[in-house]
């Protein structure tokens, strides 16, 4: 296990984006670190407004920052709203990093995504693959913003000696995910569709694309744990992949969800929908070398999310009845 370089205990730690899935997991995880957790409601602080961000940092004086604030979404939302994804993410991260630098924040962790890597990067993808080839078109806007965020961390490090680091998580899932079918990611969408199909007695569960793309999934609580760990032990310009090493094809994921939810009908593919990148399994050796490993297995984690969604759906119907 790598020796801590940065101690969180007794520090003022700002989680930007605490209402999001990752930010909320970070707040849960930081509760045992003995630090003061700072958050800001959206009504109080609009992260796209530089003057507001600057004033908030000057007033609250955070000593460490997790940048988990971002406009995020699934393949359809990314593909149809590229201007929003590029614009909002560029502003949010530029404002946060500048305010952090100018107010003397001691350590900052920026969260990216595995979609920053070239669409056809050799697998498992190493950090050095960054900017070696064309990006996946369906999420290019988001990826370009996140690449700019990594570069901004590196630039503050090189020009000002700021200890800004960047973590690249795999496809995340877990509590607090978006179950909206148009804007969300694949796992909550499949759980919702399978549960609704089972309940209504529908014959088909429709999945988007061919079902052949493979995705590496990581539970958000493991992601938060890895980020807190990196904040303490890692200080370097290079981004760090944060993966589980557990990869599954979308069709197999649909079969698993159907089994867990109790849907026994057919799984049907909608080939008018995009597949996105064929595969994005990361090599997380850099992270593993610091002594960190994930704790939540894929089937165990997915089963927990399925149970929570089905129980809430039952409860909702009970309440309505
Ligand atoms: P991505 O990793 O950026 O492509 O994000 P997603 O989680 O949105 O999609 C992952 C894969 O699941 C893609 O190949 C999608 O086409 C596929 N997929 C299958 N069914 C669905 C669905 O109902 N919703 C979403 N979002 N993706 C789906």
């Amino acid at each position: 296990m790598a020796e801590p370089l940065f101690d969180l205990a007794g520090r003022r730690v700002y989680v930007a984006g605490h209402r999001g899935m990752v930010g909320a997991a970070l707040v849960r995880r930081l509760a045992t670190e003995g630090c003061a957790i700072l958050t800001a409601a959206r009504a109080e602080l609009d992260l796209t407004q530089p003057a507001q961000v600057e004033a908030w940092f000057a007033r609250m004086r955070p000593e460490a920052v997790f940048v988990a604030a971002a406009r995020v979404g699934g393949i359809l939302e990314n593909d149809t709203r590229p201007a929003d994804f590029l614009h909002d993410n560029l502003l949010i991260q530029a404002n946060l990093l500048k305010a952090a630098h100018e107010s003397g924040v001691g350590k900052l962790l920026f969260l990216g995504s595995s979609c920053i890597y070239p669409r056809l990067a050799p697998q498992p993808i190493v950090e050095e693959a960054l900017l070696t080839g064309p990006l996946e078109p369906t999420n290019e806007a988001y990826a370009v913003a996140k690449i700019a965020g990594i570069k901004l961390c590196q630039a503050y490090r090189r020009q000002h000696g700021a200890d800004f680091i960047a973590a690249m998580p795999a496809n995340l899932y877990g509590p607090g995910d978006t179950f909206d079918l148009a804007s969300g990611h694949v796992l909550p969408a499949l759980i919702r569709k399978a549960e609704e199909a089972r309940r209504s007695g529908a014959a088909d569960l429709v999945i988007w694309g061919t079902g052949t793309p493979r995705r590496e999934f990581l539970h958000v609580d493991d992601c938060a744990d890895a980020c807190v760990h990196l904040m303490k032990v890692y200080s370097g310009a290079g981004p760090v992949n944060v993966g589980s090493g557990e990869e599954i094809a979308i069709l197999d994921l649909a079969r698993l969800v159907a089994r867990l939810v109790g849907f026994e009908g057919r799984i049907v593919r909608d080939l008018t929908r995009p597949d996105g990148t064929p595969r994005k399994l990361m090599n997380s050796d850099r992270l593993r070398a610091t002594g960190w490993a994930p704790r939540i297995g894929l089937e165990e984690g997915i089963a927990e999310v399925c149970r929570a969604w089905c129980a809430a759906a039952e409860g909702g119907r009970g309440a309505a009845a």
Side-chain angles (χ1 to χ4, degrees), residues 74-75 139 171 184-186 189 193 207-208 213 215 250 274-275 280:
I75 190 167
N139 54 29
N171 281 43
H185 286 97
V186 61
K193 288 196 277 194
I207 66 168
W208 294 354
R215 294 290 182 267
I250 298 302
D275 267 348
K280 44 180 169 175

Side-chain angles (χ1 to χ4, degrees), residues 161-183:
D163 196 356
F164 291 179
I165 62 173
M168 301 302 117
N171 281 43
L172 298 173
Y173 72 95
D177 212 342
T178 302
F179 281 77
D180 178 67
L181 296 182
S183 62

